[in-house]
Amino acid sequence: MKSTLIFATNNQHKVDEIKKVIGDAFNIITLKEAGIDIDIPEPHDSLEKNASEKSSVIHKLTNQNCFSEDTGLEVDVLNGEPGVKSARYAGEGKNFQDNIDKLLRNLAVKANRNARFRTVISLVLDDKEYFFEGICEGKIIADQKGNNGFGYDPVFIPNGSNKTFAEMEMDEKTIFSHRRKATDKLIQFLKDHGTH
Ligand code: ITT
């Protein structure tokens, strides 16, 4: 029988991207499918601590193996911002577009557009916690392009491509993606650990 893991997220885009990578190697249950309707707080100052918070809250609630991920966009000339604040960069209650607008305003006169997406997965397996990281280096462009994906995808071009993530189909984003790299490590770990 395949192992089951709860994915502690309320972001359907993350679920779609991670399910695409995991395929049918493991059973992934979303919070919605598990009947859990909570907004898990992310009060900490690092991706690692926030990822930990999300997986441990769901683990305490369900007593099942689970994982979560926290992702941030780290821009060099902004000293790593929005980083851990990526979801709320323009303030509470603001949307993806407000966050992009703020980012582009803050980068308006900057020549250095280097940035990276960093994903940290926290896995709680048999009451122990493990972390997996995935990084995608790239650049922030001045005008947004494309309608696919989510978040900052319309302004981020990964190194090795000339398209933004939002101009790519999910399969192509997966080739470059921070989330895919972290998920590959998770899958490898589960296989090495004898979890099937
Ligand atoms: P959960 O906490 O429920 O998992 P969330 O959307 O709040 O979902 P995060 O706290 O990790 O997720 O927020 C990260 C924000 O960074 C997210 O809202 C997006 O704006 C952005 N982001 C994350 N991954 C991204 C990606 O692959 N492409 C573009 N933007 C992304």
Side-chain angles (χ1 to χ4, degrees), residues 7-11 14 17 31 39-40 42 47 50 54 68-73 83-88 96 99 117 119 149-154 156 165 173 177-179:
F7 183 13
T9 182
N10 286 311
N11 183 325
K14 291 184 178 181
E17 290 186 10
L31 289 184
D39 197 15
I40 308 165
E42 300 173 55
L47 298 176
N50 281 336
K54 291 187 255 193
S68 73
E69 66 105 291
D70 208 44
T71 295
L73 175 67
V84 71
K85 291 183 278 187
S86 293
R88 301 167 304 279
F96 291 149
N99 290 335
F117 276 113
T119 292
F150 70 105
Y152 299 91
D153 280 346
F156 184 84
F165 271 159
K173 177 177 175 183
S177 154
H178 43 294
R179 182 163 295 106

